[in-house]
Amino acid sequence: MPNEIIEGELPDDVFAELREAKETLEHHGLADRLTELMGAPITASIKMLPNIAEDALHTAVDKSLQAALKVALKTLGEETKAGKPKLISHKIMAGMSGAAGGAFGLSTVAIELPVSTVLILRSIADIARSQGEDLKDIQTQLACLEVFAIDGGTESDVDDDTEIGYFAVRAAMSKQVADASKYVLKHGIGDTAAPPLVKLLQLIGKRFGVVVSEKLTAQAIPVIGAVGGALINSYFIDHYQDLARAHFTVRRLEREYGKALVEESYRRIETSGE
């Protein structure tokens, strides 16, 4: 049961926690962080990359999310270790996979990105568990995948008619998540190419692809090389770790204080980017 709140207000310490989460969820874009790293603007536009990159991007994103979906539905429920999330070890492994992308360029994206994405997903799941989520629950497993659709400030919409914002993203994805959950509960996890699951991945892929294009734009710069590729990948996983921490903080507060109060409080918060 949610805690009792006097006059419909969150306690000050909880409101501060929610404020910090919103700061990350709404104004924590990868492009800004890469711009600081590179010393030059990084755009999400695929037009900045070679012509071959557009097809490579779509193929890699689709392959990566398919791999992540299989991991989410088939193995996350077995990962029930207690303790703090192992964020550093996940980041090191992602950095190692990114070194290949930096050294050999766009030709390796179809191999490197699925590896990085699965490593990020496991880190996201680790964070979810630390926030009290049950990784055996299909809703939690799909909530881990949802993190790839949270852009943290990237200017792209879920669709043309949807406002930008964390709760707008969740609302836009709610039907696909519900349909995917019902399908898995009824039919099991044998067919990850079933229409409800494909529709969910397509929606996530629209937003994940924008962030991946930012990553590829940075890696395509000739002077980056293997060392830079590893560093960019560590930024890539750090970006999603931060978003996951904020996302599952909000979900924890929703369980404790009720969804309506948390969302209403979230919308009242003014952050540094507003």
Side-chain angles (χ1 to χ4, degrees):
M1 293 293 291
N3 295 340
E4 290 187 11
I5 307 300
I6 299 176
E7 297 182 354
E9 293 288 340
L10 293 175
D12 290 344
D13 59 333
V14 175
F15 194 78
E17 190 176 14
L18 186 61
R19 179 189 297 276
E20 183 178 352
K22 181 173 182 177
E23 185 71 41
T24 297
L25 292 165
E26 304 288 351
H27 307 292
H28 184 80
L30 179 64
D32 290 339
R33 300 185 67 176
L34 291 177
T35 295
E36 292 177 3
L37 172 67
M38 308 300 300
I42 297 295
T43 177
S45 175
I46 196 65
K47 294 178 182 179
M48 295 291 293
L49 301 174
N51 292 335
I52 193 174
E54 185 170 2
D55 289 339
L57 172 66
H58 293 314
T59 299
V61 166
D62 181 66
K63 182 178 179 181
S64 300
L65 291 178
Q66 284 283 350
L69 176 65
K70 291 177 182 178
V71 170
L73 297 179
K74 296 181 179 181
T75 68
L76 289 191
E78 301 170 1
E79 300 178 10
T80 57
K81 295 180 181 179
K84 295 181 179 180
K86 299 178 180 179
L87 305 183
I88 295 178
S89 61
H90 287 129
K91 192 178 300 184
I92 291 173
M93 288 187 287
M96 291 173 63
S97 69
F104 300 104
L106 294 171
S107 61
T108 64
V109 66
I111 298 173
E112 178 264 317
L113 186 62
V115 174
S116 297
T117 303
V118 169
L119 285 171
I120 291 171
L121 177 68
R122 293 194 180 282
S123 188
I124 289 170
D126 208 13
I127 291 167
R129 176 194 49 73
S130 73
Q131 291 283 355
E133 299 275 356
D134 180 5
L135 292 179
K136 294 182 180 180
D137 186 347
I138 179 63
Q139 295 286 345
T140 298
Q141 294 164 1
L142 295 180
C144 290
L145 282 174
E146 272 187 312
V147 174
F148 291 109
I150 302 170
D151 55 22
T154 298
E155 294 185 359
S156 67
D157 291 324
V158 173
D159 55 55
D160 293 338
D161 300 319
T162 302
E163 64 174 340
I164 295 175
Y166 169 68
F167 278 101
V169 172
R170 286 179 61 181
M173 294 184 61
S174 60
K175 184 182 186 303
Q176 283 75 14
V177 171
D179 290 346
S181 299
K182 290 177 182 177
Y183 178 86
V184 173
L185 290 173
K186 183 176 181 180
H187 300 285
I189 58 177
D191 183 12
T192 56
L197 299 178
V198 171
K199 289 181 180 179
L200 175 62
L201 293 191
Q202 287 175 340
L203 190 57
I204 295 173
K206 289 180 182 179
R207 297 177 75 84
F208 183 50
V210 173
V211 181
V212 171
S213 71
E214 293 170 349
K215 173 179 178 290
L216 293 181
T217 300
Q219 286 182 309
I221 297 175
V223 298
I224 294 302
V227 175
L231 184 57
I232 288 170
N233 240 34
S234 71
Y235 272 54
F236 189 53
I237 189 171
D238 190 52
H239 172 70
Y240 283 109
Q241 286 176 341
D242 288 347
L243 292 175
R245 195 159 31 237
H247 176 52
F248 288 107
T249 291
V250 173
R251 283 173 57 91
R252 171 173 54 78
L253 296 180
E254 288 175 343
R255 293 194 299 273
E256 295 175 357
Y257 298 96
K259 291 185 177 181
L261 178 57
V262 170
E263 182 170 353
E264 190 276 332
S265 300
Y266 184 99
R267 294 187 185 283
R268 287 194 289 109
I269 294 173
E270 293 185 2
T271 61
S272 61
E274 297 177 337

